[in-house]
Amino acid sequence: MIGLDMQPFGCIFSRVMDAVFKALADGSRRKLLDQLHSSNGQTLTQLCGHLDMTRQAVAKHLVLLEAANLVATIWHGREKLHYLNPTPLHEIYERWINKYERHRLQALSDLKKGLEENKTSKDYGKAHIRLCHLHSHDA
């Protein structure tokens, strides 16, 4: 039995991840992260220009993003600049996504895209073959 002090993903790590998942649960916060990804180092005023909400609402969203360590801020004179911190997202990737084999996820993604885009039967066949290949590895 592994002791609590030896667990790689213990209580503290869980609380941090919970804050990240909570922050990512809201579409407006995800849009803020997308805005910072496209143009890092924006002021509150600049970020407000991309959302249809009050300055106070955007500020509240930024507080949650900062608490989850998804956004870092730096004061430049009187301006507070907001920067995307991708580290918590990478940690989620390492913990929850990376443990699955990439080729399996890619095959499922290809099939999903093929079905959604209503592609020709030829393209669907390629995705179907890849999906069958995926299942043959499970046997």
Side-chain angles (χ1 to χ4, degrees), residues 10-39:
C11 295
I12 294 173
F13 190 72
S14 293
R15 279 184 255 147
V16 170
M17 273 197 175
D18 287 348
V20 174
F21 281 119
K22 180 182 177 182
L24 293 173
D26 183 82
S28 296
R29 290 191 286 272
R30 291 191 304 271
K31 191 168 182 179
L32 281 168
L33 293 175
D34 288 340
Q35 288 300 319
L36 290 174
H37 179 263
S38 66
S39 178

PDB file of all heavy atoms in Angstrom, residues 10-39:
ATOM      1  N   GLY A  10      -1.632  13.523  -5.246  1.00  0.00           N
ATOM      2  CA  GLY A  10      -2.273  13.574  -3.942  1.00  0.00           C
ATOM      3  C   GLY A  10      -3.309  14.668  -3.824  1.00  0.00           C
ATOM      4  O   GLY A  10      -3.753  15.262  -4.800  1.00  0.00           O
ATOM      5  N   CYS A  11      -3.702  14.945  -2.595  1.00  0.00           N
ATOM      6  CA  CYS A  11      -4.784  15.890  -2.299  1.00  0.00           C
ATOM      7  C   CYS A  11      -4.505  17.292  -2.815  1.00  0.00           C
ATOM      8  O   CYS A  11      -5.389  17.929  -3.363  1.00  0.00           O
ATOM      9  CB  CYS A  11      -5.028  15.937  -0.794  1.00  0.00           C
ATOM     10  SG  CYS A  11      -5.643  14.381  -0.141  1.00  0.00           S
ATOM     11  N   ILE A  12      -3.304  17.787  -2.638  1.00  0.00           N
ATOM     12  CA  ILE A  12      -2.989  19.149  -3.080  1.00  0.00           C
ATOM     13  C   ILE A  12      -3.110  19.240  -4.593  1.00  0.00           C
ATOM     14  O   ILE A  12      -3.704  20.170  -5.122  1.00  0.00           O
ATOM     15  CB  ILE A  12      -1.581  19.571  -2.612  1.00  0.00           C
ATOM     16  CG1 ILE A  12      -1.569  19.673  -1.090  1.00  0.00           C
ATOM     17  CG2 ILE A  12      -1.162  20.878  -3.255  1.00  0.00           C
ATOM     18  CD1 ILE A  12      -0.206  19.917  -0.499  1.00  0.00           C
ATOM     19  N   PHE A  13      -2.585  18.247  -5.300  1.00  0.00           N
ATOM     20  CA  PHE A  13      -2.662  18.248  -6.750  1.00  0.00           C
ATOM     21  C   PHE A  13      -4.120  18.179  -7.200  1.00  0.00           C
ATOM     22  O   PHE A  13      -4.504  18.829  -8.157  1.00  0.00           O
ATOM     23  CB  PHE A  13      -1.851  17.078  -7.305  1.00  0.00           C
ATOM     24  CG  PHE A  13      -1.665  17.125  -8.788  1.00  0.00           C
ATOM     25  CD1 PHE A  13      -0.822  18.066  -9.362  1.00  0.00           C
ATOM     26  CD2 PHE A  13      -2.324  16.241  -9.611  1.00  0.00           C
ATOM     27  CE1 PHE A  13      -0.645  18.127 -10.724  1.00  0.00           C
ATOM     28  CE2 PHE A  13      -2.154  16.285 -10.979  1.00  0.00           C
ATOM     29  CZ  PHE A  13      -1.311  17.227 -11.533  1.00  0.00           C
ATOM     30  N   SER A  14      -4.935  17.409  -6.490  1.00  0.00           N
ATOM     31  CA  SER A  14      -6.361  17.296  -6.832  1.00  0.00           C
ATOM     32  C   SER A  14      -7.066  18.628  -6.682  1.00  0.00           C
ATOM     33  O   SER A  14      -7.893  18.999  -7.514  1.00  0.00           O
ATOM     34  CB  SER A  14      -7.044  16.252  -5.952  1.00  0.00           C
ATOM     35  OG  SER A  14      -6.546  14.978  -6.241  1.00  0.00           O
ATOM     36  N   ARG A  15      -6.770  19.360  -5.619  1.00  0.00           N
ATOM     37  CA  ARG A  15      -7.402  20.667  -5.418  1.00  0.00           C
ATOM     38  C   ARG A  15      -7.017  21.644  -6.519  1.00  0.00           C
ATOM     39  O   ARG A  15      -7.843  22.424  -6.980  1.00  0.00           O
ATOM     40  CB  ARG A  15      -7.045  21.235  -4.045  1.00  0.00           C
ATOM     41  CG  ARG A  15      -7.904  20.643  -2.950  1.00  0.00           C
ATOM     42  CD  ARG A  15      -7.618  21.278  -1.620  1.00  0.00           C
ATOM     43  NE  ARG A  15      -6.838  20.277  -0.890  1.00  0.00           N
ATOM     44  CZ  ARG A  15      -5.889  20.539  -0.033  1.00  0.00           C
ATOM     45  NH1 ARG A  15      -5.569  21.774   0.252  1.00  0.00           N
ATOM     46  NH2 ARG A  15      -5.237  19.580   0.566  1.00  0.00           N
ATOM     47  N   VAL A  16      -5.765  21.588  -6.929  1.00  0.00           N
ATOM     48  CA  VAL A  16      -5.307  22.462  -8.012  1.00  0.00           C
ATOM     49  C   VAL A  16      -6.037  22.111  -9.301  1.00  0.00           C
ATOM     50  O   VAL A  16      -6.534  22.990 -10.007  1.00  0.00           O
ATOM     51  CB  VAL A  16      -3.774  22.351  -8.196  1.00  0.00           C
ATOM     52  CG1 VAL A  16      -3.318  23.065  -9.451  1.00  0.00           C
ATOM     53  CG2 VAL A  16      -3.050  22.885  -6.973  1.00  0.00           C
ATOM     54  N   MET A  17      -6.133  20.820  -9.598  1.00  0.00           N
ATOM     55  CA  MET A  17      -6.838  20.390 -10.810  1.00  0.00           C
ATOM     56  C   MET A  17      -8.318  20.745 -10.739  1.00  0.00           C
ATOM     57  O   MET A  17      -8.911  21.123 -11.744  1.00  0.00           O
ATOM     58  CB  MET A  17      -6.684  18.894 -11.025  1.00  0.00           C
ATOM     59  CG  MET A  17      -5.463  18.525 -11.777  1.00  0.00           C
ATOM     60  SD  MET A  17      -5.642  16.845 -12.393  1.00  0.00           S
ATOM     61  CE  MET A  17      -4.165  16.746 -13.337  1.00  0.00           C
ATOM     62  N   ASP A  18      -8.920  20.614  -9.559  1.00  0.00           N
ATOM     63  CA  ASP A  18     -10.326  20.988  -9.407  1.00  0.00           C
ATOM     64  C   ASP A  18     -10.538  22.452  -9.761  1.00  0.00           C
ATOM     65  O   ASP A  18     -11.509  22.804 -10.428  1.00  0.00           O
ATOM     66  CB  ASP A  18     -10.807  20.722  -7.979  1.00  0.00           C
ATOM     67  CG  ASP A  18     -10.984  19.238  -7.685  1.00  0.00           C
ATOM     68  OD1 ASP A  18     -10.956  18.426  -8.627  1.00  0.00           O
ATOM     69  OD2 ASP A  18     -11.139  18.898  -6.491  1.00  0.00           O
ATOM     70  N   ALA A  19      -9.620  23.315  -9.328  1.00  0.00           N
ATOM     71  CA  ALA A  19      -9.726  24.746  -9.641  1.00  0.00           C
ATOM     72  C   ALA A  19      -9.603  24.978 -11.146  1.00  0.00           C
ATOM     73  O   ALA A  19     -10.311  25.815 -11.711  1.00  0.00           O
ATOM     74  CB  ALA A  19      -8.655  25.533  -8.887  1.00  0.00           C
ATOM     75  N   VAL A  20      -8.738  24.228 -11.797  1.00  0.00           N
ATOM     76  CA  VAL A  20      -8.560  24.372 -13.246  1.00  0.00           C
ATOM     77  C   VAL A  20      -9.821  23.915 -13.970  1.00  0.00           C
ATOM     78  O   VAL A  20     -10.330  24.613 -14.854  1.00  0.00           O
ATOM     79  CB  VAL A  20      -7.322  23.591 -13.738  1.00  0.00           C
ATOM     80  CG1 VAL A  20      -7.234  23.614 -15.262  1.00  0.00           C
ATOM     81  CG2 VAL A  20      -6.059  24.169 -13.130  1.00  0.00           C
ATOM     82  N   PHE A  21     -10.352  22.746 -13.580  1.00  0.00           N
ATOM     83  CA  PHE A  21     -11.573  22.256 -14.226  1.00  0.00           C
ATOM     84  C   PHE A  21     -12.737  23.212 -13.981  1.00  0.00           C
ATOM     85  O   PHE A  21     -13.546  23.454 -14.885  1.00  0.00           O
ATOM     86  CB  PHE A  21     -11.931  20.853 -13.733  1.00  0.00           C
ATOM     87  CG  PHE A  21     -11.107  19.767 -14.377  1.00  0.00           C
ATOM     88  CD1 PHE A  21     -10.303  18.956 -13.610  1.00  0.00           C
ATOM     89  CD2 PHE A  21     -11.152  19.559 -15.748  1.00  0.00           C
ATOM     90  CE1 PHE A  21      -9.549  17.947 -14.198  1.00  0.00           C
ATOM     91  CE2 PHE A  21     -10.410  18.546 -16.345  1.00  0.00           C
ATOM     92  CZ  PHE A  21      -9.604  17.736 -15.561  1.00  0.00           C
ATOM     93  N   LYS A  22     -12.828  23.765 -12.794  1.00  0.00           N
ATOM     94  CA  LYS A  22     -13.893  24.735 -12.493  1.00  0.00           C
ATOM     95  C   LYS A  22     -13.741  25.968 -13.387  1.00  0.00           C
ATOM     96  O   LYS A  22     -14.720  26.477 -13.934  1.00  0.00           O
ATOM     97  CB  LYS A  22     -13.855  25.140 -11.022  1.00  0.00           C
ATOM     98  CG  LYS A  22     -14.920  26.143 -10.652  1.00  0.00           C
ATOM     99  CD  LYS A  22     -14.832  26.551  -9.199  1.00  0.00           C
ATOM    100  CE  LYS A  22     -15.869  27.615  -8.888  1.00  0.00           C
ATOM    101  NZ  LYS A  22     -15.796  28.076  -7.509  1.00  0.00           N
ATOM    102  N   ALA A  23     -12.514  26.436 -13.530  1.00  0.00           N
ATOM    103  CA  ALA A  23     -12.270  27.616 -14.368  1.00  0.00           C
ATOM    104  C   ALA A  23     -12.607  27.329 -15.831  1.00  0.00           C
ATOM    105  O   ALA A  23     -13.168  28.175 -16.525  1.00  0.00           O
ATOM    106  CB  ALA A  23     -10.815  28.064 -14.230  1.00  0.00           C
ATOM    107  N   LEU A  24     -12.294  26.136 -16.293  1.00  0.00           N
ATOM    108  CA  LEU A  24     -12.536  25.783 -17.690  1.00  0.00           C
ATOM    109  C   LEU A  24     -14.000  25.458 -17.975  1.00  0.00           C
ATOM    110  O   LEU A  24     -14.406  25.390 -19.136  1.00  0.00           O
ATOM    111  CB  LEU A  24     -11.673  24.579 -18.084  1.00  0.00           C
ATOM    112  CG  LEU A  24     -10.171  24.820 -18.119  1.00  0.00           C
ATOM    113  CD1 LEU A  24      -9.441  23.503 -18.366  1.00  0.00           C
ATOM    114  CD2 LEU A  24      -9.798  25.857 -19.159  1.00  0.00           C
ATOM    115  N   ALA A  25     -14.792  25.270 -16.931  1.00  0.00           N
ATOM    116  CA  ALA A  25     -16.195  24.884 -17.098  1.00  0.00           C
ATOM    117  C   ALA A  25     -17.052  25.986 -17.709  1.00  0.00           C
ATOM    118  O   ALA A  25     -18.106  25.718 -18.263  1.00  0.00           O
ATOM    119  CB  ALA A  25     -16.784  24.455 -15.755  1.00  0.00           C
ATOM    120  N   ASP A  26     -16.598  27.222 -17.654  1.00  0.00           N
ATOM    121  CA  ASP A  26     -17.388  28.344 -18.146  1.00  0.00           C
ATOM    122  C   ASP A  26     -16.896  28.784 -19.524  1.00  0.00           C
ATOM    123  O   ASP A  26     -15.696  29.000 -19.726  1.00  0.00           O
ATOM    124  CB  ASP A  26     -17.286  29.516 -17.160  1.00  0.00           C
ATOM    125  CG  ASP A  26     -18.146  30.680 -17.580  1.00  0.00           C
ATOM    126  OD1 ASP A  26     -19.360  30.643 -17.289  1.00  0.00           O
ATOM    127  OD2 ASP A  26     -17.611  31.604 -18.213  1.00  0.00           O
ATOM    128  N   GLY A  27     -17.823  28.935 -20.436  1.00  0.00           N
ATOM    129  CA  GLY A  27     -17.491  29.329 -21.806  1.00  0.00           C
ATOM    130  C   GLY A  27     -16.842  30.690 -21.910  1.00  0.00           C
ATOM    131  O   GLY A  27     -15.956  30.910 -22.741  1.00  0.00           O
ATOM    132  N   SER A  28     -17.259  31.625 -21.074  1.00  0.00           N
ATOM    133  CA  SER A  28     -16.660  32.968 -21.116  1.00  0.00           C
ATOM    134  C   SER A  28     -15.199  32.927 -20.678  1.00  0.00           C
ATOM    135  O   SER A  28     -14.351  33.623 -21.246  1.00  0.00           O
ATOM    136  CB  SER A  28     -17.434  33.927 -20.210  1.00  0.00           C
ATOM    137  OG  SER A  28     -18.748  34.084 -20.691  1.00  0.00           O
ATOM    138  N   ARG A  29     -14.900  32.098 -19.690  1.00  0.00           N
ATOM    139  CA  ARG A  29     -13.507  31.975 -19.249  1.00  0.00           C
ATOM    140  C   ARG A  29     -12.655  31.294 -20.321  1.00  0.00           C
ATOM    141  O   ARG A  29     -11.505  31.682 -20.559  1.00  0.00           O
ATOM    142  CB  ARG A  29     -13.427  31.242 -17.915  1.00  0.00           C
ATOM    143  CG  ARG A  29     -13.973  32.082 -16.767  1.00  0.00           C
ATOM    144  CD  ARG A  29     -13.666  31.491 -15.412  1.00  0.00           C
ATOM    145  NE  ARG A  29     -14.469  30.338 -15.080  1.00  0.00           N
ATOM    146  CZ  ARG A  29     -15.654  30.385 -14.487  1.00  0.00           C
ATOM    147  NH1 ARG A  29     -16.185  31.546 -14.160  1.00  0.00           N
ATOM    148  NH2 ARG A  29     -16.303  29.284 -14.193  1.00  0.00           N
ATOM    149  N   ARG A  30     -13.239  30.303 -20.984  1.00  0.00           N
ATOM    150  CA  ARG A  30     -12.498  29.663 -22.079  1.00  0.00           C
ATOM    151  C   ARG A  30     -12.248  30.662 -23.201  1.00  0.00           C
ATOM    152  O   ARG A  30     -11.183  30.675 -23.814  1.00  0.00           O
ATOM    153  CB  ARG A  30     -13.261  28.439 -22.599  1.00  0.00           C
ATOM    154  CG  ARG A  30     -13.300  27.283 -21.612  1.00  0.00           C
ATOM    155  CD  ARG A  30     -13.818  26.007 -22.243  1.00  0.00           C
ATOM    156  NE  ARG A  30     -15.130  26.142 -22.848  1.00  0.00           N
ATOM    157  CZ  ARG A  30     -16.289  25.957 -22.214  1.00  0.00           C
ATOM    158  NH1 ARG A  30     -16.300  25.630 -20.936  1.00  0.00           N
ATOM    159  NH2 ARG A  30     -17.435  26.092 -22.865  1.00  0.00           N
ATOM    160  N   LYS A  31     -13.215  31.531 -23.459  1.00  0.00           N
ATOM    161  CA  LYS A  31     -13.037  32.548 -24.496  1.00  0.00           C
ATOM    162  C   LYS A  31     -11.925  33.532 -24.092  1.00  0.00           C
ATOM    163  O   LYS A  31     -11.127  33.946 -24.941  1.00  0.00           O
ATOM    164  CB  LYS A  31     -14.353  33.295 -24.740  1.00  0.00           C
ATOM    165  CG  LYS A  31     -14.316  34.171 -25.962  1.00  0.00           C
ATOM    166  CD  LYS A  31     -15.692  34.671 -26.343  1.00  0.00           C
ATOM    167  CE  LYS A  31     -15.607  35.496 -27.609  1.00  0.00           C
ATOM    168  NZ  LYS A  31     -16.903  35.988 -28.030  1.00  0.00           N
ATOM    169  N   LEU A  32     -11.871  33.882 -22.811  1.00  0.00           N
ATOM    170  CA  LEU A  32     -10.776  34.744 -22.340  1.00  0.00           C
ATOM    171  C   LEU A  32      -9.420  34.073 -22.559  1.00  0.00           C
ATOM    172  O   LEU A  32      -8.460  34.715 -23.003  1.00  0.00           O
ATOM    173  CB  LEU A  32     -10.960  35.072 -20.852  1.00  0.00           C
ATOM    174  CG  LEU A  32     -11.978  36.148 -20.521  1.00  0.00           C
ATOM    175  CD1 LEU A  32     -12.280  36.171 -19.026  1.00  0.00           C
ATOM    176  CD2 LEU A  32     -11.466  37.508 -20.979  1.00  0.00           C
ATOM    177  N   LEU A  33      -9.341  32.786 -22.261  1.00  0.00           N
ATOM    178  CA  LEU A  33      -8.093  32.061 -22.481  1.00  0.00           C
ATOM    179  C   LEU A  33      -7.742  32.018 -23.960  1.00  0.00           C
ATOM    180  O   LEU A  33      -6.573  32.171 -24.333  1.00  0.00           O
ATOM    181  CB  LEU A  33      -8.186  30.642 -21.911  1.00  0.00           C
ATOM    182  CG  LEU A  33      -8.284  30.540 -20.392  1.00  0.00           C
ATOM    183  CD1 LEU A  33      -8.505  29.094 -19.974  1.00  0.00           C
ATOM    184  CD2 LEU A  33      -7.066  31.127 -19.713  1.00  0.00           C
ATOM    185  N   ASP A  34      -8.752  31.848 -24.805  1.00  0.00           N
ATOM    186  CA  ASP A  34      -8.508  31.867 -26.255  1.00  0.00           C
ATOM    187  C   ASP A  34      -7.984  33.229 -26.702  1.00  0.00           C
ATOM    188  O   ASP A  34      -7.093  33.315 -27.554  1.00  0.00           O
ATOM    189  CB  ASP A  34      -9.785  31.528 -27.030  1.00  0.00           C
ATOM    190  CG  ASP A  34     -10.175  30.060 -26.928  1.00  0.00           C
ATOM    191  OD1 ASP A  34      -9.303  29.228 -26.601  1.00  0.00           O
ATOM    192  OD2 ASP A  34     -11.358  29.758 -27.177  1.00  0.00           O
ATOM    193  N   GLN A  35      -8.546  34.287 -26.141  1.00  0.00           N
ATOM    194  CA  GLN A  35      -8.085  35.643 -26.488  1.00  0.00           C
ATOM    195  C   GLN A  35      -6.626  35.848 -26.069  1.00  0.00           C
ATOM    196  O   GLN A  35      -5.847  36.437 -26.814  1.00  0.00           O
ATOM    197  CB  GLN A  35      -8.970  36.710 -25.835  1.00  0.00           C
ATOM    198  CG  GLN A  35     -10.328  36.831 -26.455  1.00  0.00           C
ATOM    199  CD  GLN A  35     -10.244  37.193 -27.927  1.00  0.00           C
ATOM    200  OE1 GLN A  35      -9.440  38.018 -28.334  1.00  0.00           O
ATOM    201  NE2 GLN A  35     -11.064  36.561 -28.736  1.00  0.00           N
ATOM    202  N   LEU A  36      -6.282  35.341 -24.895  1.00  0.00           N
ATOM    203  CA  LEU A  36      -4.896  35.475 -24.445  1.00  0.00           C
ATOM    204  C   LEU A  36      -3.965  34.596 -25.269  1.00  0.00           C
ATOM    205  O   LEU A  36      -2.811  34.958 -25.492  1.00  0.00           O
ATOM    206  CB  LEU A  36      -4.786  35.142 -22.955  1.00  0.00           C
ATOM    207  CG  LEU A  36      -5.419  36.168 -22.027  1.00  0.00           C
ATOM    208  CD1 LEU A  36      -5.402  35.682 -20.584  1.00  0.00           C
ATOM    209  CD2 LEU A  36      -4.727  37.518 -22.143  1.00  0.00           C
ATOM    210  N   HIS A  37      -4.464  33.471 -25.722  1.00  0.00           N
ATOM    211  CA  HIS A  37      -3.647  32.614 -26.575  1.00  0.00           C
ATOM    212  C   HIS A  37      -3.352  33.307 -27.902  1.00  0.00           C
ATOM    213  O   HIS A  37      -2.234  33.237 -28.407  1.00  0.00           O
ATOM    214  CB  HIS A  37      -4.346  31.279 -26.821  1.00  0.00           C
ATOM    215  CG  HIS A  37      -3.564  30.360 -27.700  1.00  0.00           C
ATOM    216  ND1 HIS A  37      -3.798  30.255 -29.052  1.00  0.00           N
ATOM    217  CD2 HIS A  37      -2.533  29.530 -27.421  1.00  0.00           C
ATOM    218  CE1 HIS A  37      -2.946  29.393 -29.570  1.00  0.00           C
ATOM    219  NE2 HIS A  37      -2.165  28.931 -28.597  1.00  0.00           N
ATOM    220  N   SER A  38      -4.345  33.993 -28.452  1.00  0.00           N
ATOM    221  CA  SER A  38      -4.145  34.664 -29.735  1.00  0.00           C
ATOM    222  C   SER A  38      -3.322  35.938 -29.597  1.00  0.00           C
ATOM    223  O   SER A  38      -2.606  36.315 -30.516  1.00  0.00           O
ATOM    224  CB  SER A  38      -5.482  34.967 -30.406  1.00  0.00           C
ATOM    225  OG  SER A  38      -6.203  35.912 -29.663  1.00  0.00           O
ATOM    226  N   SER A  39      -3.420  36.597 -28.444  1.00  0.00           N
ATOM    227  CA  SER A  39      -2.662  37.831 -28.227  1.00  0.00           C
ATOM    228  C   SER A  39      -2.391  37.963 -26.729  1.00  0.00           C
ATOM    229  O   SER A  39      -3.213  38.506 -25.983  1.00  0.00           O
ATOM    230  CB  SER A  39      -3.450  39.030 -28.738  1.00  0.00           C
ATOM    231  OG  SER A  39      -2.747  40.222 -28.500  1.00  0.00           O
TER     232      SER A  39
END
